[in-house]
Amino acid sequence: MRWLVLVLVVVLPAVAWAKPKVAVAPLDNDPDGKVTAVLVDAADDHASVTRPAKVEKAMDKLSLSELDKRALKKLRIELEVEVVIHGKVSREKGKRHVELVLSGKGKKQMTIDVAIGSPKTLKKDLSKRLDKKIEEMTGGDEDPDDDAPPARKFNDASEDKPNKHADDDRPRKHADDDRPKKHVAADDEVTDSDEDTGRRHHRHRHHGEASRNPMTTGAVWLDVGAEVARRTLTWESTGTMRPPRVGTAAGAARIGGEVYPFAFDSPTGGQAGLGLYGDYARTIGLSIAVPGTALKTPIEDGHYQIGARYRFVFGDTSIAVGGAYWRRYYIANRSSLMMATQLDMPDVDYKAFAPGAELRFAATPTVSGFVSFDVPLVMKSGDIQSATSYGRGTVIAFDVLGGVQILLGPHYALQLAGAFDQVGMKFEAAANSQAQIRSVSAATDRSYGVNATIGILY
């Protein structure tokens, strides 16, 4: 584990330092942000990328509505990058294109025009075109002349295309081709009529954030609430001294969450998938009646886990895989009893490493579903498997949690979930163990319940 931390702390920053720094602004006419996302992945092959969400936050901070020459200079300084990539998605002769402008220090500017095919093909084409151009665009000094005419803006689908740089791969068009052409909007493009006719599109449309579902691909989820659960312990025995069945139910306080510290700008990308997760629940006021007495013994009943995951994002769906330290305990406080054996019930304290996976998916824009499955590899079981209790044996366990999240506001959601946990034990029935004395071959420890929590998400 220590070497992995050293790699993350030392190697990754060193790699990022060696790459040029590039900012990618959201593309116009890309309402779902899919083309912008492919552009970010392609640029990430050759540079350390500042992602669209952060670029728009910087534009908001600087009150920039258009990317003219002066705005680009301010943006580069604010984001501490060498190149800003901006542009639009357009349609020409029935084919969609992505038209990009790379703006560097001083008067450096280059253009790229790539036909849009499948995401895989588009990324390959963009990566190939960006490779040398990003390298050529880096370096140099800022131009002190900030009063030059504004750079080409991509806010209207009907505007003329940018002048091509001398090193652009596409052949120059004849002058007649510069005449205004009727624009035919694709189903997924945004035109002026989609907003207010005759009004120029505003740059701040937060494409990256709009295409992101905070419930399924968010960077942070923290929740707190309550749950009601029931626990049972049953036995398989062939003798007349079968242990009594155990069954209790109680309410519990619950807290949980997950965080992907590198996913605030975008849920995709190498580091964006790294995350931490955990949850903790503890019953309140639980006790069990002691047979043959008027006493009730308090029970400490709770469970928690904390671990790490890597998340894969597919649009509004995400799958996270990882592992956690996992513990579940049910321990009686026998201090008020004359003899501990008055309560014929073994304590359990399961400790395990639990690999698992979680699926999150969007049902509607405001409702998402989730299901997680863990397989605790139990290392210790507590008193129940001690030599003076039921003794050694094999243990197989699993956890299932599933439910829905309902978005109540931009950063708040209600979570409703159901949980089921089972630990199955088969005893070896060693000599003088309770399993041998009472002819017990196996036991099943189950917990199931429902919970409701309110969460904060980003």
Side-chain angles (χ1 to χ4, degrees):
M1 185 65 179
R2 183 174 298 175
W3 66 266
L4 178 58
V5 173
L6 289 175
V7 169
L8 292 174
V9 172
V10 177
V11 176
L12 289 179
V15 173
W17 179 265
K19 289 184 177 182
K21 296 181 180 179
V22 171
V24 176
L27 300 177
D28 285 320
N29 295 342
D30 184 28
D32 57 11
K34 292 182 178 179
V35 178
T36 303
V38 175
L39 172 59
V40 169
D41 287 343
D44 197 44
D45 292 340
H46 313 291
S48 176
V49 178
T50 299
R51 298 178 183 273
K54 189 171 183 179
V55 175
E56 287 198 323
K57 289 179 182 177
M59 292 177 68
D60 286 334
K61 178 181 177 181
L62 298 172
S63 299
L64 304 178
S65 60
E66 300 174 348
L67 290 180
D68 57 21
K69 180 180 177 181
R70 181 175 294 182
L72 288 165
K73 178 179 177 179
K74 290 181 179 179
L75 199 56
R76 285 196 302 272
I77 294 173
E78 173 69 21
L79 297 172
E80 298 181 351
V81 298
E82 299 169 88
V83 179
V84 175
I85 302 176
H86 55 109
K88 73 170 185 177
V89 176
S90 65
R91 180 175 289 272
E92 180 182 345
K93 296 181 180 179
K95 295 183 179 180
R96 296 176 71 213
H97 289 253
V98 54
E99 300 177 5
L100 304 176
V101 177
L102 285 73
S103 300
K105 294 181 179 180
K107 297 182 179 180
K108 287 187 175 182
Q109 191 175 86
M110 293 185 180
T111 60
I112 293 177
D113 190 313
V114 176
I116 299 176
S118 67
K120 183 177 180 179
T121 301
L122 177 58
K123 180 185 175 182
K124 182 178 179 181
D125 292 343
L126 285 172
S127 181
K128 183 178 179 181
R129 301 288 296 277
L130 289 170
D131 187 7
K132 291 184 178 180
K133 293 199 173 186
I134 288 178
E135 183 179 351
E136 293 174 9
M137 290 292 296
T138 57
D141 299 320
E142 293 286 2
D143 187 353
D145 180 11
D146 290 329
D147 297 324
R152 188 258 189 240
K153 296 172 287 186
F154 290 107
N155 293 329
D156 284 310
S158 61
E159 288 183 28
D160 294 334
K161 297 180 180 178
N163 294 326
K164 304 297 179 180
H165 191 271
D167 65 348
D168 195 349
D169 296 346
R170 296 187 72 198
R172 293 181 177 273
K173 295 185 177 181
H174 191 272
D176 292 341
D177 292 338
D178 290 333
R179 291 174 298 176
K181 296 180 180 180
K182 183 177 179 181
H183 179 74
V184 180
D187 292 339
D188 57 352
E189 286 185 40
V190 179
T191 65
D192 287 338
S193 59
D194 293 328
E195 302 284 342
D196 295 318
T197 304
R199 180 169 62 86
R200 184 179 299 273
H201 283 306
H202 193 273
R203 180 71 184 179
H204 295 254
R205 300 200 297 175
H206 300 278
H207 295 282
E209 295 179 3
S211 63
R212 179 175 186 165
N213 188 314
M215 295 180 290
T216 60
T217 64
V220 174
W221 165 258
L222 297 174
D223 67 321
V224 62
E227 70 177 18
V228 177
R230 177 173 175 78
R231 185 252 184 173
T232 63
L233 178 63
T234 58
W235 308 91
E236 291 183 17
S237 174
T238 57
T240 58
M241 299 177 64
R242 179 192 295 268
R245 173 190 173 101
V246 178
T248 57
R254 178 184 177 89
I255 185 172
E258 58 183 346
V259 57
Y260 294 87
F262 302 106
F264 283 91
D265 291 337
S266 170
T268 60
Q271 297 181 13
L274 295 172
L276 301 174
Y277 71 102
D279 61 69
Y280 175 78
R282 176 74 179 266
T283 57
I284 301 172
L286 177 61
S287 62
I288 189 170
V290 180
T293 72
L295 299 175
K296 284 189 175 182
T297 296
I299 300 292
E300 295 181 12
D301 177 25
H303 59 87
Y304 63 84
Q305 62 178 333
I306 181 169
R309 284 175 174 154
Y310 190 88
R311 182 174 66 182
F312 301 89
V313 175
F314 309 93
D316 285 341
T317 300
S318 65
I319 299 176
V321 295
Y325 175 77
W326 179 96
R327 185 185 179 200
R328 182 177 288 272
Y329 55 91
Y330 190 93
I331 302 171
N333 183 347
R334 293 175 168 84
S335 60
S336 61
L337 303 180
M338 294 182 61
M339 294 186 299
T341 55
Q342 282 184 282
L343 179 60
D344 188 7
M345 180 195 76
D347 295 335
V348 298
D349 189 358
Y350 307 113
K351 298 176 182 178
F353 170 72
E358 180 183 61
L359 168 68
R360 292 183 178 273
F361 57 93
T364 73
T366 58
V367 178
S368 70
F370 67 93
V371 60
S372 66
F373 186 82
D374 296 301
V375 184
L377 307 177
V378 179
M379 299 174 286
K380 294 183 179 180
S381 300
D383 178 66
I384 192 171
Q385 288 198 301
S386 68
T388 57
S389 187
Y390 289 84
R392 294 177 300 178
T394 58
V395 181
I396 298 177
F398 66 88
D399 267 341
V400 179
L401 175 69
V404 297
Q405 289 181 330
I406 304 170
L407 198 63
L408 304 178
H411 299 294
Y412 301 94
L414 169 66
Q415 177 173 289
L416 304 173
F420 180 80
D421 168 86
Q422 177 172 301
V423 180
M425 292 167 279
K426 290 188 176 182
F427 302 108
E428 296 177 0
N432 299 319
S433 68
Q434 289 296 309
Q436 189 263 337
I437 294 171
R438 306 177 79 163
S439 300
V440 174
S441 59
T444 302
D445 192 346
R446 293 191 179 100
S447 296
Y448 48 92
V450 294
N451 62 71
T453 59
I454 294 293
I456 298 174
L457 46 81
Y458 286 92

